[in-house]
Amino acid sequence: FKMLLSSLPIDTGMAFVMVQHLAPHHESLTSLILSRCTPMKVIEVKESVQVEPNHVYVISPNKFLKIKGGMLYLKPTPEVKGIRTTIDVFFSSLAEARKQNAIAIILSGTGNDGGAGCKAIKDNGGLVIAQDPTSTEFSTMPQNVISMGLADHVLLVEKIPDILIKHSAELVLDTEHII
């Protein structure tokens, strides 16, 4: 996240929602850490919030995050053992809300969370970018999306902003230009 945000211009007109696997019962310092990497405003989502361009939104621990009508909503995570599909939940709601304007970026991580959500984004005409697995600390998540045939681009993190800017210029513009 830090490398991606530090590589982005601050005036893309896009909103960035950072969803990661967090320890369920510990305070997250993600928003504080990321705010040091970008001049964009970084907000930890603790309640429903209107998404604004050129802002960064970070998920709170022990929550699912969804988007609908330009608003981010938190949902409690069910008390189940095993893998939480935090990324799939968000990407699936993003696919429904933004259709062909949705963009998913899968960075370093373990497991297969994100695969089903990326499929939903692709099924709705959106864009999927995977970090080049050779440049990750943990390659399982991007490799899973690549193996599923869902990645439109496989890139080093520092190359992702170029694709985002080029793609955003080609998006179907509407009143909710939110990615």
Side-chain angles (χ1 to χ4, degrees):
F1 288 167
K2 292 189 309 185
M3 187 182 299
L4 178 62
L5 288 176
S6 65
S7 300
L8 282 166
I10 64 167
D11 59 352
T12 63
M14 293 181 263
F16 298 89
V17 181
M18 307 301 211
V19 180
Q20 67 184 123
H21 301 125
L22 297 169
H25 302 293
H26 291 89
E27 183 179 338
S28 173
L29 298 176
T30 305
S31 60
L32 176 65
I33 293 166
L34 294 182
S35 68
R36 296 177 182 152
C37 302
T38 180
M40 287 187 276
K41 188 170 184 179
V42 179
I43 300 165
E44 180 179 339
V45 180
K46 295 182 178 184
E47 60 187 11
S48 298
V49 62
Q50 178 72 43
V51 179
E52 296 182 46
N54 305 317
H55 283 63
V56 178
Y57 300 90
V58 179
I59 192 169
S60 293
N62 207 30
K63 300 289 182 192
F64 282 140
L65 189 62
K66 292 185 173 190
I67 186 168
K68 184 175 182 180
M71 296 283 295
L72 290 171
Y73 298 94
L74 289 172
K75 301 287 183 187
T77 54
E79 291 297 323
V80 295
K81 292 189 178 205
I83 298 172
R84 296 181 190 265
T85 57
T86 311
I87 298 165
D88 280 332
V89 167
F90 179 72
F91 282 168
S92 295
S93 75
L94 180 65
E96 186 176 318
R98 302 298 302 137
K99 307 288 185 218
Q100 72 273 14
N101 290 341
I103 299 174
I105 302 171
I106 297 289
L107 301 174
S108 177
T110 60
N112 62 3
D113 189 16
C118 284
K119 181 173 182 338
I121 286 175
K122 289 297 293 181
D123 288 349
N124 280 279
L127 178 72
V128 174
I129 300 170
Q131 181 179 359
D132 183 335
T134 64
S135 70
T136 65
E137 184 175 354
F138 303 103
S139 63
T140 314
M141 283 177 57
Q143 188 59 58
N144 180 57
V145 170
I146 295 164
S147 298
M148 292 173 71
L150 299 172
D152 295 296
H153 300 279
V154 178
L155 301 166
L156 298 173
V157 171
E158 56 270 18
K159 299 293 184 184
I160 293 173
D162 295 336
I163 294 298
L164 290 175
I165 292 164
K166 180 178 184 243
H167 185 74
S168 70
E170 300 167 356
L171 288 174
V172 176
L173 297 179
D174 61 22
T175 58
E176 268 189 5
H177 186 59
I178 300 166
I179 298 173

